[in-house]
Amino acid sequence: MAKRKRLHAAEKLQQKSAKIPKQEVKIKPVRHSDDPHQKKPKWINKQRVLIFSSRGISFRDRHLMSDLRTLLPHSKPDTKMDRKDKLLVVNEICEMKNCNKCIFFEAKKKKDLYMWVSSVPRGPSVKFLIENVHTMEELKMTGNCLKGSRPLLSFDKNFDTQPHYAIIKEIFIQTFSTPNHHPKSQPFVDHVLTFSILDNRIWFRNYQILEEDGSLAEIGPRFVLNPIRIFEGSFGGPTLFENPQYISPNQYRKQLKLSTADKYKNKQDAKTAHQLRHAKQGNTYKVNPTDDIFQTLPPEEAVGVEKKMFSRKRSLRKIGTVKRTP
C-alpha cells in the first residue's frame, strides 16, 4: 500500500510540472572590445576653486591651506604671490587657471592671516580674519574620510536672519560644495562641513559620518572666521558691509600693552597709598607737644647757622670762660 501511495504522488507531481511552463533564464550579454563604451554623465557644474597664498605665511597657515586643498577635489594650486603686487592681480591669475572661485590667504607681519573668498571676476568677495587655527595633523582627530568624497554643507539658522550672512552663505555653497560627477571626486558622501555663527564669528568644523543614526567624529581642520568687509567686486569695489565690531590685530595688541602699563601704574599707586596709610596708623596715641622742648640737636646733624653755634661753644670751652648751666 505504501508503494502505491508513493507512485500516485509521483504521478501527480509529473502532471503538475507538465502543466506549468518552464521559465527561460536570460544571461546578460557580455560587452566586447569592439562595442562602444558607455558615456559618463555630463559634468555640468564646472566650479573650479583656486587656493593659494601670499609670501610670508607661517608653517601652520601653510598646513591649513594644504588641508583645504585635500578637502576640495575641485581646487587648483598655484605659486605664492608677491606681497608687493596688488590684489587685483589675483583676478588675472584665476583667469589664466580657468577658475571662477578663489580662496586667497594673505599674511601680514608673519602673525596675522586674512582669507579672501571671492567669485571671479564679477564678485562679490568677502575678507575674513582667521583665528584659532588647528590643522588635521595637529589635533590628531579620530575621524577619517575618503579623499575626494563629496561633503554635506550644514549652515546655522542664523545665516538666514541678516542679509550679509546670506551673501556669505551663498559664496560658501558655491565654493565648498564639490560639483556632481566631477572627474576628481568620488561618488560618496561621508563627511559634513558645518558653519555656525557664535560671538559674531563663523566657526568651521569638519565631521565624519560614522553611521546612519547621525553619529559624528571630528576630522579637522578647525578655524574661526571673523568677517571684516564684503565688497561688491572681486578683491575690491564698493563696500556692501563693514563689521562695526571688528578690532584689528594691531589695535588688539595695543590694548594689551596699555592694560599691562595700567597694571604697573595701579600697582605703584597702591604701594604709595599703603605706605601713607600705615604711616598715619602708626601715631594712634596722643602726643604732648611740650615733649620736644628739651631735645637738643646733636652736633653731627647741625647744618648752616647751627653749625657755627657749636663751633663757637668749642672755642669758649678751650678758653675756659663758658659757664655751664645747672
Side-chain angles (χ1 to χ4, degrees):
M1 294 292 291
K3 287 182 179 180
R4 289 180 182 177
K5 286 181 180 179
R6 288 175 185 172
L7 289 170
H8 286 301
E11 289 176 356
K12 287 180 180 179
L13 287 171
Q14 287 179 0
Q15 290 176 1
K16 286 182 180 179
S17 61
K19 291 179 181 179
I20 298 171
K22 294 181 179 180
Q23 296 180 357
E24 296 180 356
V25 179
K26 294 182 179 180
I27 301 173
K28 294 182 180 180
V30 180
R31 186 176 65 84
H32 298 284
S33 59
D34 297 335
D35 296 338
H37 182 66
Q38 187 179 2
K39 292 183 179 180
K40 292 183 179 180
K42 287 185 178 181
W43 176 32
I44 300 171
N45 182 15
K46 296 190 177 182
Q47 295 282 348
R48 300 180 184 89
V49 184
L50 181 65
I51 302 176
F52 72 116
S53 68
S54 64
R55 295 191 180 277
I57 63 171
S58 61
F59 68 96
R60 183 175 294 174
D61 304 336
R62 189 174 64 253
H63 284 296
L64 174 64
M65 184 175 61
S66 63
D67 290 345
L68 287 180
R69 285 176 181 171
T70 54
L71 284 177
L72 305 178
H74 60 292
S75 64
K76 287 187 177 182
D78 196 27
T79 57
K80 295 178 182 179
M81 193 180 76
D82 196 1
R83 286 182 291 182
K84 295 180 181 179
D85 295 338
K86 294 183 180 180
L87 290 173
L88 295 175
V89 182
V90 181
N91 296 327
E92 299 178 3
I93 297 172
C94 293
E95 187 177 356
M96 292 168 61
K97 288 283 185 177
N98 197 15
C99 296
N100 49 10
K101 294 289 183 294
C102 180
I103 298 177
F104 178 67
F105 293 93
E106 185 181 7
K108 290 184 178 180
K109 293 187 176 181
K110 296 184 179 180
K111 299 178 182 178
D112 310 324
L113 181 65
Y114 298 90
M115 186 176 81
W116 289 80
V117 182
S118 176
S119 179
V120 181
R122 297 182 179 179
S125 58
V126 191
K127 185 179 181 182
F128 300 98
L129 173 67
I130 298 183
E131 301 172 348
N132 300 331
V133 177
H134 297 283
T135 59
M136 288 183 182
E137 298 178 356
E138 180 183 354
L139 292 174
K140 297 181 181 179
M141 297 293 185
T142 58
N144 190 12
C145 66
L146 292 170
K147 186 176 181 180
S149 60
R150 300 180 65 210
L152 293 175
L153 300 183
S154 175
F155 289 92
D156 190 1
K157 61 181 180 180
N158 293 325
F159 276 96
D160 300 327
T161 56
Q162 298 182 14
H164 62 277
Y165 283 137
I167 295 172
I168 294 172
K169 178 182 177 181
E170 185 62 29
I171 293 175
F172 283 168
I173 289 172
Q174 296 180 12
T175 305
F176 288 95
S177 60
T178 303
N180 195 12
H181 304 298
H182 191 276
K184 293 184 179 179
S185 65
Q186 300 292 335
F188 306 107
V189 179
D190 59 350
H191 66 285
V192 185
L193 301 180
T194 62
F195 300 90
S196 55
I197 298 173
L198 181 65
D199 194 18
N200 297 318
R201 290 170 173 82
I202 300 172
W203 300 65
F204 176 86
R205 295 289 185 273
N206 183 20
Y207 297 99
Q208 179 195 0
I209 303 172
L210 296 177
E211 296 179 2
E212 295 180 357
D213 58 354
S215 58
L216 303 173
E218 190 171 357
I219 304 171
R222 59 163 68 170
F223 54 89
V224 181
L225 298 173
N226 190 0
I228 302 172
R229 281 190 182 186
I230 300 176
F231 298 94
E232 185 178 355
S234 178
F235 295 96
T239 302
L240 299 177
F241 168 76
E242 185 176 0
N243 189 3
Q245 299 177 351
Y246 169 71
I247 299 174
S248 64
N250 293 330
Q251 189 175 358
Y252 180 71
R253 286 190 285 266
K254 183 179 178 181
Q255 289 178 358
L256 287 178
K257 288 181 180 179
L258 290 175
S259 63
T260 53
D262 292 340
K263 185 179 179 181
Y264 176 75
K265 186 179 178 182
N266 295 333
K267 188 177 180 180
Q268 294 297 323
D269 293 342
K271 190 181 289 185
T272 54
H274 177 75
Q275 292 175 358
L276 293 172
R277 187 169 60 252
H278 278 267
K280 290 180 180 178
Q281 290 177 358
N283 298 330
T284 54
Y285 56 91
K286 293 182 179 181
V287 181
N288 190 359
T290 59
D291 291 342
D292 297 335
I293 294 174
F294 299 101
Q295 286 185 0
T296 58
L297 186 69
E300 59 271 9
E301 294 182 4
V303 180
V305 182
E306 296 174 350
K307 214 170 192 181
K308 293 180 180 179
M309 183 179 66
F310 282 107
S311 62
R312 185 169 174 269
K313 284 183 179 181
R314 286 173 185 172
S315 61
L316 291 173
R317 281 176 185 173
K318 288 179 181 179
I319 298 169
T321 58
V322 178
K323 292 183 180 180
R324 294 183 182 180
T325 56

